Every structure is written in C-alpha cells, then in structure tokens.
Amino acid sequence: MGRGDLTNAEWDRLESFLPRGGARGGRWSDHRRVINGVLYRVRTGVQWRDLPERFGPWETVYKRHRRWSADGTWAMLLSKVQAAEDHAGRIDWDVSVDSTAVRAHQHAAGARKAPPAAVVQRGQPGGRTRRSGAAETGRPAGGGGQIGECLGRSRGGFTTKIHLAAEGRCRPLALVLTPGHYGDGPQLERVLEQISVPRTGVGRPRSRPDHVLADKAYTSRSNRRYLRRRGIRHTIPERLDQQTHRRNRGSRGGRPTGFDSEHYKKRNTVERAINRLKGFRAVATRYEKRAYIYLGTVTLAALLIWLRT
C-alpha cells in the first residue's frame, strides 16, 4: 500500500457498494487498484499518462473515473458514507454555506461543443442509454460551451466556482459547480437542495439542516424567504446598505433581521472544509475539460475527507 492509498478499514467501508460487473457482462479490473490510481491523481494532480505503473494502464484508471463521474457512482458512494455517519449520530447539522474560486488550467478550455457520448445507465432494461444526472449538472440543452462547462472569464483567465454546504465537522454535504463569475447568493437554494442524506432504515433522506450559517453574500430577501418557508433557522449578517435602506423607509422597512454573533463564529467550518478540499491538487486547479468529470474529482475528494475524518 502506497502513501495516500485506501487503508483496509476504508476499503471495507466501500467494497460492498461498488458495481460487480463491467460493461456488456464483462469483468472490471481490480476496483481497489484502480481507485487508488484515481486517488493518486486527485491528490497529486499529475497527468493521467504519468500515473505509476503499479496502478495498471492509465487508460483504465481514467475511463473508470470518467464513467463513474457520469453515472453518479462517486456521488452514490459519498451518500452511503454520509448515511452511515448520520445513523451513528456523527453529523452536526449546523450547516455553513460558502464558495471558492478555482483557477482552470489552460488545458481545461477547448472542449467540443457537442455533448459527450451517452453512458449506459446501470439497471436500465435492455441496455438503453441515456445521460446520467451527474453528467447533466450545470449543462444547457445541447451541451458544450464555456458556461455549460462551468468556465467563467476573469482577469486571471478561466475560473470555476465550487459552491458547497459543510456540516459542523468540516465535511462537505453538498457540492455545486458554476462558472467563476457567478454570484454566491443566487446559488444558496440550489446548494441546499443538493443535501440528501439517505436513512439506513425506513424513511426519506434527510435534506433539512437544523441551522444554516452564511456570510453577507447570501443576505438577500429571497434567500431569507426560502429559508423561512422550509422552516430552517439561519444566521446571516445584514449588509450596511440594506440596514440604511430599511431605516430610511421607517415603519415600511420592516423589522431588523435577527443575528446571533456568537453562533456566527461557527461559520469557519465551511472555510476549513474548503481548505481540506483544496489540499487535493487536482481540486485546487481544474484540469478537466468537462464539468461533470471535474465534479466527480471534487466528489471523490469529499468522499476521502469523510472516510478519514
């Protein structure tokens, strides 16, 4: 076992959830070796062709990662681990929301505008093909283009923004990608809608946090209405211009928003979760041309955080 590879305990937690057979009834290459190869690349950020030979052919490792990013296997593994942690009572449901901008390497640009080939969805009768939900995330109808691949222009070049919700122990609960120039506030609802932790027994997945903490970028009225409608308590500071506008309107401005400065100190959990994610070099710099493959990379990094925290 090399540095950064899955330990025996981590492998035991994942092995039972992995697919049993390959395409067209064939057999997969050894799952553990291939996953360790993907982890090596996510941790170091090397080119796929430069993977050490102990992980087998680099094409096998890359294609497995691409396929599992498209059909949602990485997201499924993350949800299984989250469900086990929730069942054991080890999730702090005081959730913090924030985003981080990621510099896209020059090789991340130039994807073809045509959407990638459809993948075979596991469990579909007759081997029908359709694009998975993970592959469609953030992609317009017809696919392709800078916005469709979550690439935004900035002074430094192309950037991608990762919006995430982190639970109280600095572990990512939900991930959303947008182009780098997109604002944070409009993505709050989309990020919280991605929270879905399955129950190990009977019942619907848990999707509602006990409390939401966010900075001033999320202080819009629409966000506060959305949180009140779902019955979610929240701690979000109000911007100075909003306070001034409310006071100028007098009684028509409404009541001041409640703010617990002591509870707000806990918002650093999402910043620490971002630091953990960016400890993986393939997350801190985006090299993938396709947004769904980069989302799979970030999801795998989040999975490893859950396994090792």
Side-chain angles (χ1 to χ4, degrees):
M1 185 179 70
R3 187 171 74 91
D5 289 353
L6 292 173
T7 65
N8 292 333
E10 293 164 357
W11 172 247
D12 290 340
R13 296 180 66 182
L14 296 180
E15 185 179 13
S16 61
F17 305 128
L18 295 172
R20 298 298 179 186
R24 297 183 298 277
R27 298 181 60 186
W28 294 101
S29 298
D30 181 62
H31 278 319
R32 186 170 185 176
R33 183 178 69 171
V34 173
I35 292 176
N36 283 334
V38 179
L39 289 178
Y40 181 90
R41 189 263 173 181
V42 172
R43 181 171 58 86
T44 62
V46 301
Q47 295 188 14
W48 290 103
R49 293 175 182 270
D50 295 332
L51 283 176
E53 294 181 357
R54 64 187 178 92
F55 299 119
W58 70 267
E59 298 96 332
T60 300
V61 181
Y62 167 69
K63 290 179 180 178
R64 187 78 54 87
H65 176 56
R66 183 183 63 183
R67 182 184 182 91
W68 284 3
S69 297
D71 66 15
T73 299
W74 294 130
M76 177 271 295
L77 293 175
L78 178 60
S79 68
K80 294 291 187 183
V81 174
Q82 290 175 344
E85 291 291 294
D86 187 45
H87 180 70
R90 292 194 291 264
I91 292 184
D92 183 348
W93 284 96
D94 276 3
V95 173
S96 301
V97 180
D98 206 349
S99 71
T100 181
V102 175
R103 177 72 166 86
H105 194 271
Q106 60 183 356
H107 294 165
R112 294 181 180 178
K113 292 189 177 181
V119 297
V120 178
Q121 184 72 8
R122 290 177 294 127
Q124 291 291 325
R128 294 182 296 173
T129 61
R130 69 176 183 86
R131 196 172 315 286
S132 68
E136 289 176 340
T137 301
R139 296 179 62 84
Q146 293 179 13
I147 301 301
E149 300 300 346
C150 298
L151 290 173
R153 287 280 188 179
S154 68
R155 290 185 178 181
F158 285 119
T159 54
T160 295
K161 188 172 282 189
I162 304 174
H163 304 263
L164 72 154
E167 53 95 46
R169 297 186 179 184
C170 309
R171 297 174 294 187
L173 276 174
L175 300 162
V176 169
L177 297 185
T178 65
H181 61 278
Y182 276 30
D184 293 352
Q187 305 302 322
L188 176 67
E189 182 175 347
R190 185 179 171 194
V191 172
L192 294 182
E193 292 292 339
Q194 292 295 318
I195 298 177
S196 181
V197 178
R199 311 281 187 177
T200 55
V202 179
R204 293 179 297 177
R206 176 162 183 176
S207 59
R208 189 171 65 177
D210 293 333
H211 203 105
V212 168
L213 300 100
D215 60 19
K216 293 181 181 180
Y218 300 89
T219 188
S220 66
R221 292 183 179 180
S222 60
N223 284 340
R224 295 183 187 272
R225 282 196 298 266
Y226 167 75
L227 293 169
R228 286 196 295 267
R229 186 170 67 249
R230 292 192 59 189
I232 301 175
R233 294 176 297 170
H234 54 278
T235 300
I236 305 175
E238 193 177 28
R239 295 198 308 266
L240 291 178
D241 62 327
Q242 290 179 324
Q243 297 176 13
T244 303
H245 181 66
R246 175 171 44 77
R247 285 194 296 265
N248 291 339
R249 296 190 64 189
S251 60
R252 295 177 301 169
R255 295 178 298 176
T257 59
F259 178 71
D260 186 349
S261 59
E262 195 64 28
H263 199 176
Y264 186 69
K265 293 178 181 179
K266 196 174 181 181
R267 199 192 67 85
N268 69 84
T269 55
V270 68
E271 305 288 353
R272 292 152 64 189
I274 289 172
N275 288 338
R276 288 180 176 179
L277 281 175
K278 286 196 166 181
F280 297 87
R281 291 174 179 255
V283 174
T285 302
R286 173 180 170 176
Y287 299 100
E288 289 85 355
K289 294 181 184 294
R290 296 294 182 186
Y292 76 94
I293 301 180
Y294 180 64
L295 180 60
T297 298
V298 181
T299 302
L300 179 56
L303 172 62
L304 205 61
I305 291 173
W306 278 86
L307 288 174
R308 296 181 174 177
T309 303

